[in-house]
């Protein structure tokens, strides 16, 4: 009888110890659980420069917060398209995600970023994104939509490709059927240069090039390579007519509710991620991808500044006139002046 009683007491004691251990473990797990656990979506491939930027963002935020922040990344459309990600952040389903130049269709003042041949190079672009003027536009966007831009970066400039001939003059553009986005600026750009603009969705672009529905298209070199357009396009002219860019979007209400130190960590992480993508894409577009496209059989033409100036003169005038009828003309002039001031600053630094 004594043995049974001792065995029973031992079992009770063991159960109590297990409960205490599990309770302690649960408390410890709660103590170590991150306060801010984010699901961050993007649309580019898992090995793309944009995704590497988000990986740097994740690493910085998790490390700098000492475990308070945990970020799960979902590239390659796992959480939806860019439109779906934007709506998710706007409604608060997600706190943060990738954005891009589709912002110009959401908030009209951002159309100034689509002015053809506005930016001479990527370095000036990044200075522009850090300018008071862009901060003013970003604040307006947050107030209008409830979505804040934490960081912006360029992934290159849009360039013309086609299957017919190298584009080395305005005459070479004449009559070429060029796929464009359903965007008044892009349609007017191709038309002003003598081409035939044809709006086609992204999902149908490759097959349209393959079947000859259109003869050319315009995208940054990195996307030309990633999308294997070299299989259906022979010529590329690196005229760099319109800026391509990515953004780090955050839900404004959520972001403003954060403690100041956490806000600073997210903002800094986004800027670091943007810089990583910028550096990788500049190298790809200027060096590695250009070489890779040539190896795939494409002929790459780097035009002289005189040709860019000719294209700029032809295309900017009608587009600026349209823009000034769409948004505040002062905003258009301010954008142009901001870029000119940055160029002057860089020239002064070179002396």
């Amino acid at each position: 009888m004594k043995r049974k009683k001792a065995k029973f007491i031992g079992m009770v004691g063991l159960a109590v110890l297990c409960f205490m251990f599990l309770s302690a473990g649960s408390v410890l797990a709660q103590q170590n659980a991150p306060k801010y656990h984010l699901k961050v979506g993007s649309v580019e491939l898992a090995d793309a420069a944009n995704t590497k930027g988000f990986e740097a963002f994740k690493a910085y935020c998790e490390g700098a917060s000492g475990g308070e922040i945990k970020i799960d990344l979902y590239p390659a459309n796992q959480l939806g398209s860019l439109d779906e990600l934007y709506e998710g952040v706007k409604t608060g389903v997600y706190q943060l995600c990738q954005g891009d130049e589709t912002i110009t269709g959401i908030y009209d003042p951002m159309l100034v970023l689509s002015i053809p041949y506005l930016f001479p190079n990527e370095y000036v672009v990044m200075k522009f994104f850090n300018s008071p003027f862009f901060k003013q536009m970003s604040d307006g966007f947050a107030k209008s939509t409830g979505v804040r831009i934490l960081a912006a970066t360029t992934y290159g400039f849009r360039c013309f490709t086609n299957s017919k001939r190298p584009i080395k003059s305005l005459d070479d553009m004449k009559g070429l059927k060029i796929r464009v986005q359903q965007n008044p600026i892009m349609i007017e750009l191709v038309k002003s240069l003598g081409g035939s603009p044809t709006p086609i969705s992204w999902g149908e672009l490759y097959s349209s090039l393959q079947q000859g529905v259109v003869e050319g298209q315009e995208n940054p070199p990195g996307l030309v390579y990633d999308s294997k357009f070299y299989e259906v396009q022979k010529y590329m002219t690196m005229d760099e007519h319109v800026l391509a860019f990515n953004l780090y979007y955050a839900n404004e209400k959520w972001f403003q509710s954060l403690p100041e130190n956490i806000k600073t960590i997210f903002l800094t992480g986004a800027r670091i991620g943007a810089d990583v993508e910028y550096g990788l894409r500049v190298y790809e577009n200027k060096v590695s991808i250009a070489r890779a496209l040539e190896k795939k059989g494409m002929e790459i033409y780097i035009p002289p500044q005189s040709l860019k100036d000719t294209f700029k003169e032809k295309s900017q005038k009608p587009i600026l006139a349209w823009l000034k009828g769409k948004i505040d003309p002062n905003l258009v002039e301010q954008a142009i002046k901001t870029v000119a001031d940055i160029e002057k600053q860089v020239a002064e630094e070179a002396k």
Side-chain angles (χ1 to χ4, degrees), residues 158-205:
R158 306 180 80 87
C159 300
F160 289 113
T161 72
N162 78 96
S163 58
K164 293 294 183 182
R165 54 183 174 266
I167 299 172
K168 298 184 178 181
S169 69
L170 280 172
D171 286 340
D172 294 327
M173 280 289 293
K174 284 182 181 176
L176 280 178
K177 288 189 289 185
I178 304 289
R179 176 268 178 180
V180 293
Q181 300 162 301
Q182 187 65 267
N183 177 319
I185 289 181
M186 302 310 298
I187 292 170
E188 184 57 45
L189 168 65
V190 172
K191 191 187 297 182
S192 68
L193 296 177
S196 177
T198 308
I200 292 174
S201 69
W202 174 257
E204 296 175 348
L205 177 52

Side-chain angles (χ1 to χ4, degrees), residues 205-239:
L205 177 52
Y206 184 94
S207 61
S208 296
L209 293 168
Q210 189 177 42
Q211 295 164 16
V213 176
V214 286
E215 297 156 335
Q217 62 87 52
E218 44 84 50
N219 265 300
L223 277 186
V224 171
Y225 186 82
D226 292 346
S227 305
K228 299 185 177 180
F229 290 154
Y230 52 78
E231 294 177 345
V232 289
Q233 298 280 271
K234 177 68 175 175
Y235 307 100
M236 171 181 278
T237 294
M238 304 276 276
D239 67 306

